[in-house]
Amino acid sequence: MRKDEDRLRLDEQLCFPLYACSRKVSGRYAACLRPLGITYTQYLVFLVLWESDNITVGDLCRRLYLDSGTLTPLLKKMEEKGYINRCRCPDDERCVRVTLTNQGRQMKEKALDIPCQMSSYMNLTPEEAGRLHELLDKLLSQVN
């Protein structure tokens, strides 16, 4: 049987490899995205908008697990760069909708190679990547 203190060893913590891996992967994404002039979080916003344009800030927050205080300044910068438009919903002034501009839609072409670059960096088989994704989705749904 383990000593109680063994549970406090860094190597015993699930949170640490998740944290360290997230930092490493995000850093690699940042390096791949730098030539496009966008940040990792902006890339995530683009991914959602390329999938379903013209959505509310609230829906975007839910999809990305971010709060509006984090997302709003980022969206403002994306709007200043000409990638998106933000407008208040006519039927509810508290609601803001986000839509891609032509420049934002064109960014999709520039980003097409990012998943391949990241896949080669991670060096996982498709089966391993699928299983990891499945486990992370399960964990994410449990910690909500």
Side-chain angles (χ1 to χ4, degrees):
M1 188 158 156
R2 291 182 135 156
K3 294 180 184 177
D4 286 343
E5 295 85 21
D6 284 348
R7 288 183 288 180
L8 295 177
R9 293 175 44 84
L10 182 63
D11 292 343
E12 295 296 319
Q13 308 304 308
L14 180 59
C15 63
F16 182 69
L18 285 170
Y19 165 77
C21 190
S22 176
R23 286 181 37 92
K24 293 266 188 188
V25 170
S26 296
R28 182 56 67 120
Y29 267 104
C32 291
L33 295 167
R34 197 168 296 119
L36 302 181
I38 61 174
T39 66
Y40 175 66
T41 312
Q42 288 171 336
Y43 175 68
L44 297 178
V45 169
F46 274 125
L47 291 174
V48 173
L49 292 173
W50 292 330
E51 199 175 301
S52 48
D53 195 4
N54 191 24
I55 64 172
T56 66
V57 171
D59 288 339
L60 203 48
C61 287
R62 281 185 283 286
R63 284 289 311 273
L64 297 175
Y65 296 90
L66 295 171
D67 60 62
S68 63
T70 300
L71 197 55
T72 299
L74 181 120
L75 293 174
K76 186 176 179 183
K77 287 180 185 175
M78 291 179 76
E79 187 172 38
E80 288 168 0
K81 289 183 174 186
Y83 297 135
I84 63 166
N85 288 315
R86 294 179 301 153
C87 64
R88 297 223 174 260
C89 299
D91 53 328
D92 184 353
E93 286 291 312
R94 298 168 297 171
C95 179
V96 175
R97 295 196 81 73
V98 181
T99 57
L100 288 165
T101 63
N102 285 336
Q103 188 177 346
R105 283 188 285 280
Q106 290 169 359
M107 183 61 78
K108 187 175 184 178
E109 285 296 316
K110 297 176 183 177
L112 282 174
D113 193 45
I114 300 297
C116 291
Q117 290 178 44
M118 291 306 300
S119 179
S120 67
Y121 166 68
M122 291 183 200
N123 198 25
L124 296 173
T125 67
E127 294 78 21
E128 290 169 331
R131 183 69 179 135
L132 178 59
H133 197 282
E134 185 180 299
L135 287 170
L136 290 171
D137 281 344
K138 179 180 179 180
L139 181 60
L140 189 56
S141 72
Q142 299 295 320
V143 296
N144 257 344

